[in-house]
Structures are given as C-alpha cells and as structure tokens.
Amino acid sequence: MMNTLIVLIGPTGVGKTELSLSIAEHFRTSIVSADSRQLYADLKIGTAAPTPDQLKRVPHYFVGTLKLTDYYSAAQYETDVLNKLEELFHSHEVVVLTGGSMMYVDAVCKGIDDIPTVDSETRELMLRRYEEEGLEKLCAELKLLDPEYYKIVDLKNPKRVIHALEICYMTGKTYTSFRTRTHKERPFRIIKIGLTRDREELYARINHRVDVMMEEGLEKEVRQVYPYKHLNSLNTVGYKEMFKYLDGEWTLDFAIEKIKQNSRIYSRKQMTWFKRDADIAWFHPDRQEEIMQHINNLIIS
C-alpha cells in the first residue's frame, strides 16, 4: 500500500481532536499537529492542546515543542514535518495530520514558497520598529515597497506585514517576487477530510469551549505568560483579549465575550480558506462510519 497522509481539517471547535484520535487508533499510527499555537509548551489551555490522556492514547508530534521566544515559520514547519513523515512512514503506512492552521496545512500538502530566512538582526530591527512606530506606519511603508502585496495582505496582521518588510529590506526585492505559489509534489498520497457543522451548532460549541477554558484556568495561564505579551506567539485569540483585561482596559466578562466573538470570526476565515480546496471531502463529525469508509475506499483503490 502506498504511504498515505490523512489530513483532517476544519474550523476551530468543530471536533477534529476526538475524530483524529479515533482514526489514528484505527490505523495504529501517530498524529502530526497542524496547529501553529499548540507548538508552544506554555499555551495548553488557550489552544485546546491535547490532554495528557489523549497524548497517552496516540503519539503526537509538534505539540508543546517550542518556547514562547522561539522563532518559527510555516516554511520551517514544512521542512520539519516532511522529515518527520519520512521517519514515520518507515513504520506506518498511514499517518494523520490534523489542525486548523491553514498555512501550515498547505505547507505540508502543497509546499510553501522558498522565501529567504530572515536574519536575527533584521527581525529584531523590524520588531523594535513595530513596537515604537506602530502597525499603521509599517503598512504605509509596505505600500511603497511592495504595492502588489499591500493590496492582498491582511493589514491588521502585524506578523504578515512585518515579515514582508523584513524580506524587502534584507533582499532588496519585493516580497511578491518570492511568492511563486508552485505546487510541490509529495512522495505520499494525501487524503483530505474536512469537518463541518451548521453555523448555529458550531458557534454554540465555540462558546461552550471558551467557557470550559475559563473553568480550566485560562486566566491563570494568561497571567503566567503576560510578561511575553509583546511576542508574536501570543498575538492570538484567547490571549490578546485577556491581556486587555489584565491591562485594565476591559472587564473579565467583556474579554470572555470578545474571545467567543473572535473565535467565531476566525472559524469563518478558516472555512473560507478551506472551501477553496476542491480536494477536501466534507463530512459532519458524527458521520464517523462514512468517513472511515471514504478513507478505506481511497486507500485500497
């Protein structure tokens, strides 16, 4: 049988974790996480990282491996995961990859552009400029240096804006010039399964999950990482809202409602991204038998 990567994707809160465990147990294999925030060891509750019991059920990779101060990119993730898959396929014919970080999933399945690695001096310089001058000024600078990328980038995402400027300054070329979007062939078969629910059902699950996170100690976790709040690793839903509460800008109840709202907004962005991929077969998470039948049919074909 050809080596196969089962890619289980879908929006936050849809139910990927439990199904990925069931699929991995069925094939007696491992799970590779495609969640860019579960990589950080200090962000267990706010990222809904696998629990100790879940980690005992199935071996996981790329969970809790980084410090908050570590620099990591989708390009590095692509390299690391491909190396890990090569290793895993020596002992498993099937491996499961699951998560909701769209660029990380695409990096493994399609490949990411060969953009130069930013040196530490340039990275530190741009981070300092962001802290001192703010995002708006950097966006105006990007408009001058790379107007084509400026038109399509999320101007509210400092990581994307800063990275583009880093490349512009370090190479003397536009960031756009490196974005070839060439699809890279992989030496294994890829089966993509997408999970979806009705909007009301999904939103209720997201709201409930945030409540559970608070009960499990999200506020304590956020307080522990508060000294690092300026880092990109913490520029994410659940933490940035709680920082505003700790800074005295918001009440706790308001911060919790904003986490729920921003999680719902993020789920819509995820679905918009994934829906563009015609290779994804979509199922409700409760249709586990149909999902397994679909996977088995493709594996034996």
Side-chain angles (χ1 to χ4, degrees):
M1 187 176 76
M2 183 178 184
N3 288 336
T4 301
L5 180 67
I6 299 172
V7 180
L8 185 66
I9 49 188
T12 184
V14 75
K16 297 184 293 293
T17 299
E18 189 56 42
L19 185 56
S20 69
L21 289 164
S22 296
I23 293 173
E25 287 174 329
H26 174 80
F27 288 104
R28 299 181 181 180
T29 190
S30 302
I31 291 175
V32 173
S33 171
D35 187 306
S36 63
R37 290 303 183 263
Q38 287 185 5
L39 280 160
Y40 296 97
D42 295 319
L43 308 183
K44 293 182 175 66
I45 297 174
T47 64
T51 65
D53 286 342
Q54 290 169 337
L55 294 174
K56 286 179 183 177
R57 285 174 59 184
V58 174
H60 284 65
Y61 298 93
F62 301 93
V63 173
T65 57
L66 298 180
K67 296 181 293 185
L68 292 173
T69 52
D70 288 338
Y71 177 80
Y72 204 70
S73 66
Q76 185 63 52
Y77 177 79
E78 176 189 5
T79 300
D80 292 345
V81 169
L82 291 179
N83 288 336
K84 177 55 68 174
L85 289 176
E86 184 178 4
E87 174 190 323
L88 292 173
F89 281 137
H90 284 303
S91 53
H92 304 284
E93 292 178 327
V94 175
V95 177
V96 177
L97 181 141
T98 187
S101 295
M102 298 86 80
M103 285 187 64
Y104 277 38
V105 172
D106 279 359
V108 174
C109 296
K110 303 176 181 178
I112 202 163
D113 292 327
D114 293 322
I115 295 172
T117 301
V118 179
D119 60 70
S120 58
E121 184 178 349
T122 302
R123 188 179 306 126
E124 290 168 9
L125 171 64
M126 291 309 303
L127 180 59
R128 187 163 61 249
R129 287 195 56 202
Y130 167 59
E131 293 171 349
E132 294 173 356
E133 301 173 27
L135 182 59
E136 188 175 348
K137 187 168 182 179
L138 295 185
C139 287
E141 200 164 324
L142 181 62
K143 186 176 183 179
L144 291 173
L145 294 175
D146 191 347
E148 189 174 345
Y149 187 63
Y150 174 86
K151 291 177 183 177
I152 61 173
V153 69
D154 178 0
L155 295 173
K156 295 182 179 179
N157 187 325
K159 180 180 180 181
R160 303 276 170 82
V161 173
I162 291 171
H163 184 56
L165 285 173
E166 289 171 342
I167 297 299
C168 290
Y169 282 118
M170 197 181 76
T171 67
K173 301 178 182 178
T174 64
Y175 181 64
T176 300
S177 66
F178 292 97
R179 287 166 50 86
T180 62
R181 296 188 175 276
T182 303
H183 191 292
K184 300 176 184 176
E185 295 299 322
R186 300 306 191 199
F188 46 82
R189 172 173 35 201
I190 298 174
I191 297 175
K192 295 181 181 178
I193 304 295
L195 301 184
T196 185
R197 296 178 184 267
D198 292 339
R199 179 170 289 192
E200 287 188 9
E201 182 185 13
L202 178 63
Y203 284 4
R205 286 176 58 89
I206 290 173
N207 293 341
H208 176 67
R209 187 164 83 159
V210 174
D211 290 333
V212 170
M213 287 177 177
M214 294 305 301
E215 293 170 4
E216 291 179 343
L218 179 60
E219 181 179 342
K220 180 180 178 182
E221 183 173 85
V222 173
R223 288 184 182 276
Q224 291 173 338
V225 300
Y226 182 81
Y228 304 96
K229 68 174 185 172
H230 62 285
L231 295 175
N232 180 67
S233 53
L234 287 163
N235 181 31
T236 191
V237 176
Y239 296 89
K240 57 186 181 182
E241 296 87 357
M242 289 297 290
F243 290 149
K244 286 187 177 291
Y245 159 62
L246 295 181
D247 287 337
E249 296 182 39
W250 291 350
T251 65
L252 179 58
D253 287 344
F254 186 76
I256 293 171
E257 286 307 310
K258 292 298 287 185
I259 294 173
K260 293 177 180 178
Q261 179 187 25
N262 290 334
S263 296
R264 297 193 297 267
I265 291 171
Y266 181 57
S267 74
R268 294 200 296 271
K269 290 181 178 179
Q270 289 173 301
M271 286 304 294
T272 298
W273 181 292
F274 289 135
K275 284 291 187 180
R276 293 180 293 191
D277 190 339
D279 293 333
I280 300 174
W282 291 95
F283 298 88
H284 189 285
D286 293 344
R287 293 165 57 191
Q288 185 168 334
E289 287 187 16
E290 290 181 49
I291 293 170
M292 291 305 305
Q293 186 64 51
H294 175 77
I295 292 171
N296 285 327
N297 288 343
L298 291 176
I299 285 178
I300 64 176
S301 61

